[in-house]
Amino acid sequence: MQLKFSFNFVDKNNNVRVPSWLNSITMNMENRLSSIQEVSALLKVPKPTLRFWEKELDGIIVPHRTRGGQRRYALEHLAIIGKVKELREKGMSLAEIKKQINNTNKLQNDNTDFDRVDLLAERVAEVVKAEVNRFFEVEED
């Protein structure tokens, strides 16, 4: 599965153009989930800031959650967080960043509806799998 990013990370031929700040992240992270501690250290963004951006950007940064509620970030989350950091360093407010991201996403929605359905199906499958596992763990005890 090829990752597709907003913010012009994908060129017109669907080739991923990796920004310089993302070069240190190797492609073996494509299927790996990172903790908030790892993301904070990697992108040099404090953990409270990551939590704040998640809340304020309302649905733009939505990390996966463990059973215990801990955040887990995929590579696409790192790309979005890196872009938000870059725009904040240029002086943009979170409201402006949110508007820009939403506008970018609206333009790409026609091409990504199937990707969004696939992502939703994957998340539903993860939840169902976790519930089935938890059910059988309870049965064994």
Side-chain angles (χ1 to χ4, degrees), residues 9-120:
F9 290 160
V10 178
D11 65 19
K12 62 183 175 186
N13 296 321
N14 269 350
N15 296 315
V16 176
R17 292 183 301 130
V18 180
S20 59
W21 53 264
L22 200 53
N23 280 337
S24 63
I25 301 173
T26 60
M27 289 314 289
N28 66 354
M29 288 187 66
E30 184 173 323
N31 295 320
R32 184 177 182 279
L33 298 178
S34 302
S35 70
I36 193 168
Q37 179 70 32
E38 293 168 324
V39 172
S40 176
L42 184 66
L43 298 179
K44 296 177 178 55
V45 176
K47 292 184 291 185
T49 301
L50 291 170
R51 293 182 195 105
F52 180 73
W53 287 354
E54 179 185 337
K55 178 183 171 194
E56 291 299 309
L57 294 174
D58 191 34
I60 293 172
I61 301 171
V62 183
H64 304 285
R65 297 287 183 142
T66 65
R67 286 186 195 170
Q70 296 178 351
R71 292 164 175 84
R72 293 292 183 255
Y73 298 87
L75 187 59
E76 61 266 17
H77 298 122
L78 300 181
I80 293 169
I81 293 166
K83 188 61 177 182
V84 170
K85 178 183 177 188
E86 184 180 301
L87 295 173
R88 288 290 294 142
E89 288 171 349
K90 290 181 179 180
M92 288 183 75
S93 70
L94 288 179
E96 292 169 324
I97 292 170
K98 183 177 179 179
K99 185 176 181 179
Q100 179 178 337
I101 291 171
N102 285 336
N103 288 340
T104 301
N105 287 343
K106 283 179 187 174
L107 293 175
Q108 293 181 349
N109 271 349
D110 292 340
N111 298 326
T112 61
D113 282 343
F114 291 113
D115 293 337
R116 293 174 63 205
V117 169
D118 287 344
L119 181 60
L120 177 61

